[in-house]
Amino acid sequence: MALPIARTRSEADSYITFNPCACGHHEFRPERIDDIPVGPHGATEWHGQCPECKHSRLFVFGKPADEPAGRGHLSRFGGPEPSQLIDAGCWLSVALDHADGAGRLPRIPGSRLFRRVIHERWLWAADAVAEAMKFIPADADEVPEEAFLSGLALRTRVTGPRTAFRRRSLARRLKCYRNGRAVGDERYWLRRLDKAPKVPELPGQVWMRLVPAIIERCYLFTQNGDPSLVLDREALAEAQALMGPNTHLDGIVHQICGTLYWIRHTCLAAAGGAAPPRPSSPHGRGPPPQDK
């Protein structure tokens, strides 16, 4: 099963934030989250509408083998393994946003509530740094280049300090944030990030994971003609997970998913079943079709 795992709801929410609607609006609150029997541990489908343009949106995430227990420093976003949804550069941008937000919150003398809110923002910032550190191999001292798999990650890398993604620098930032202190470069880094030069828009981790899986399905079908390769629920979930955000759809993605949907259509028609509607175009207003 190729579906990327969302280890926690916080991680899924963060991924959705990095994938805005086709209209550019980032806010998305799913109207319902359905459990589906896909893969060894199941999956979830997040359904809803963009509050700005009313565009239907759908996200599909695999479930982890074990749900993280408690709210320890490893469980706010996930366990000890690197994320399958968000890369190291994006995690550090999350950390910078939370740290900058914590620094801008007003200090009200004697207010325990505001102290608690500020403390919570620092903890979120620290946990995002911890997520970035998980991409450093055990025998390395720095996040490798291949761990930056999105345009935002590349911009975060090129606009930050030269040593920002080294183990020692990340450990220092993690310690500062856990102690409720800024490193001191957050606002300058964020300003540079907002004005960053254009960099190649890499497809991201989900694209890199799902495109080969769908191509392999279609190839195996052409080799042995087994309809279960394209008709099972896993095949549909993989295509929906790739096209679900309804944004950044380029010609390659649409062609690959369109090939899978056409093969499904052909198999269903040959079996006398109802053929599913064709998937929407990259510029259309609907998500890929669903057939439970």
Side-chain angles (χ1 to χ4, degrees):
M1 180 62 185
L3 276 183
I5 302 298
R7 299 166 297 171
T8 62
R9 175 156 186 162
S10 297
E11 182 179 37
D13 283 335
S14 299
Y15 172 74
I16 290 173
T17 300
F18 287 123
N19 288 274
C21 178
C23 71
H25 194 71
H26 283 265
E27 183 181 349
F28 174 72
R29 292 290 177 263
E31 297 165 6
R32 70 178 194 275
I33 301 176
D34 298 329
D35 291 324
I36 56 175
V38 169
H41 309 295
T44 55
E45 291 182 338
W46 298 42
H47 307 266
Q49 282 188 335
C50 171
E52 183 70 20
C53 69
K54 307 307 178 185
H55 190 152
S56 296
R57 308 199 71 198
L58 167 69
F59 290 84
V60 184
F61 303 108
K63 288 184 176 182
D66 299 307
E67 297 289 344
R71 286 179 58 83
H73 70 275
L74 286 178
S75 64
R76 196 176 300 266
F77 291 113
E81 69 284 346
S83 172
Q84 296 182 13
L85 295 174
I86 302 170
D87 62 24
C90 289
W91 278 123
L92 203 53
S93 74
V94 172
L96 293 172
D97 283 335
H98 280 296
D100 184 61
R104 293 177 183 273
L105 287 173
R107 266 60 173 174
I108 300 179
S111 173
R112 296 181 60 185
L113 174 61
F114 274 89
R115 287 203 303 270
R116 192 179 306 119
V117 170
I118 294 171
H119 179 66
E120 188 73 9
R121 290 296 296 270
W122 285 118
L123 290 182
W124 282 104
D127 284 355
V129 174
E131 289 299 324
M133 293 182 69
K134 294 173 187 177
F135 287 87
I136 302 179
D139 59 348
D141 187 51
E142 189 174 6
V143 177
E145 290 186 16
E146 56 268 22
F148 298 88
L149 292 171
S150 65
L152 176 59
L154 288 177
R155 291 193 297 274
T156 304
R157 181 170 177 247
V158 301
T159 56
R162 183 172 55 86
T163 61
F165 286 92
R166 292 183 182 175
R167 189 187 300 274
R168 184 174 179 179
S169 295
L170 289 172
R172 175 174 172 264
R173 189 176 297 274
L174 177 65
K175 182 178 180 180
C176 286
Y177 291 170
R178 284 183 178 166
N179 290 331
R181 293 187 292 108
V183 173
D185 60 4
E186 288 83 7
R187 293 185 185 180
Y188 175 69
W189 194 345
L190 286 170
R191 284 197 299 269
R192 290 196 64 193
L193 186 57
D194 287 340
K195 300 176 181 178
K198 291 295 183 181
V199 296
E201 280 291 345
L202 297 183
Q205 290 185 216
V206 173
W207 194 97
M208 298 290 288
R209 187 181 184 89
L210 291 173
V211 165
I214 294 174
I215 291 176
E216 182 180 13
R217 281 186 180 275
C218 295
Y219 173 75
L220 290 176
F221 174 79
T222 62
Q223 296 299 302
N224 58 33
D226 181 5
S228 66
L229 289 166
V230 294
L231 291 178
D232 64 18
R233 189 65 183 84
E234 292 187 8
L236 184 60
E238 289 171 1
Q240 289 175 334
L242 184 60
M243 296 181 70
N246 294 313
T247 185
H248 304 312
L249 286 181
D250 57 25
I252 295 177
V253 169
H254 197 260
Q255 182 177 6
I256 291 169
C257 289
T259 300
L260 176 62
Y261 279 111
W262 177 251
I263 296 175
R264 285 171 58 84
H265 168 93
T266 303
C267 290
L268 286 171
R278 295 179 63 186
S280 63
S281 70
H283 308 291
R285 285 284 173 179
Q290 302 179 60
D291 52 349
K292 302 277 186 181

